[in-house]
Amino acid sequence: METAHSQVKAAPPAFTAFARFVLFGGGVGITSSFAVAALASWMPWVLANALITVVSTLLATELHARFTFGGGHATLRQHAQSAGSAAVAYAVTCVAMLVLQQMVAAPGAALEQVVYLSASALAGVARFMVLRLVVFARNRSQATPTVRTARSVHAAVARTAAPADPAVLCYAA
């Protein structure tokens, strides 16, 4: 039973996972912003941003799979779902900025930052929940049956080894 249990990585508590999500996602995001700026000196900014976005999403998904949500390597399905959730988060920030432009004729830089960062935070929390509850939930659901199987085997062995004499069974209980 211990062997089966030790092979399974339990998912970290929600707060720990969220802290790791912010650390790894934020770290990749900050590094990406510098990488886009550096790469944009060699190629058009739009191309540099697209390239860095793809690479950073792959990297962040792998980090989240391994460290944030307690699993192993990210699968192709998890990479695709993570990319989809990142695209939705990007759309949320774009819509927020478009709504701001429609509501305020000439918003100042401070208001733009407040709206953008608020939308980013909201999208980030939603993305964390999608990754934890949907994309990487399979890691946890696959881990649970392994432990249950080990416990079930242990219980079956205990029932088989139990004596048949009712007097002994009452005493053992």
Side-chain angles (χ1 to χ4, degrees):
M1 184 170 103
E2 188 62 35
T3 304
H5 183 68
S6 62
Q7 291 174 350
V8 177
K9 281 185 161 181
F15 180 79
T16 302
F18 187 73
R20 291 176 183 172
F21 177 80
V22 170
L23 177 71
F24 290 122
V28 169
I30 290 169
T31 304
S32 296
S33 68
F34 289 111
V36 168
L39 201 55
S41 65
W42 297 345
M43 63 179 64
W45 185 88
V46 172
L47 184 59
N49 187 38
L51 181 64
I52 295 300
T53 297
V54 168
V55 171
S56 66
T57 300
L58 289 170
L59 176 62
T61 300
E62 194 63 33
L63 290 171
H64 291 320
R66 290 183 185 197
F67 304 110
T68 303
F69 298 109
H73 292 286
T75 65
L76 184 58
R77 179 192 61 83
Q78 289 170 327
H79 277 291
Q81 289 177 329
S82 179
S85 72
V88 170
Y90 174 77
V92 166
T93 57
C94 288
V95 167
M97 295 307 288
L98 289 173
V99 168
L100 174 64
Q101 295 298 324
Q102 294 299 314
M103 293 179 67
V104 179
L111 181 57
E112 285 181 339
Q113 284 298 313
V114 166
V115 170
Y116 177 77
L117 292 174
S118 297
S120 293
L122 179 64
V125 169
R127 186 160 185 258
F128 169 78
M129 290 174 16
V130 166
L131 292 177
R132 181 170 172 88
L133 300 175
V134 177
V135 176
F136 296 107
R138 185 174 174 202
N139 291 351
R140 291 189 308 276
S141 66
Q142 285 178 340
T144 304
T146 304
V147 174
R148 285 183 186 154
T149 302
R151 288 181 183 156
S152 299
V153 168
H154 179 70
V157 169
R159 280 193 303 270
T160 305
D165 183 6
V168 173
L169 287 176
C170 291
Y171 180 76

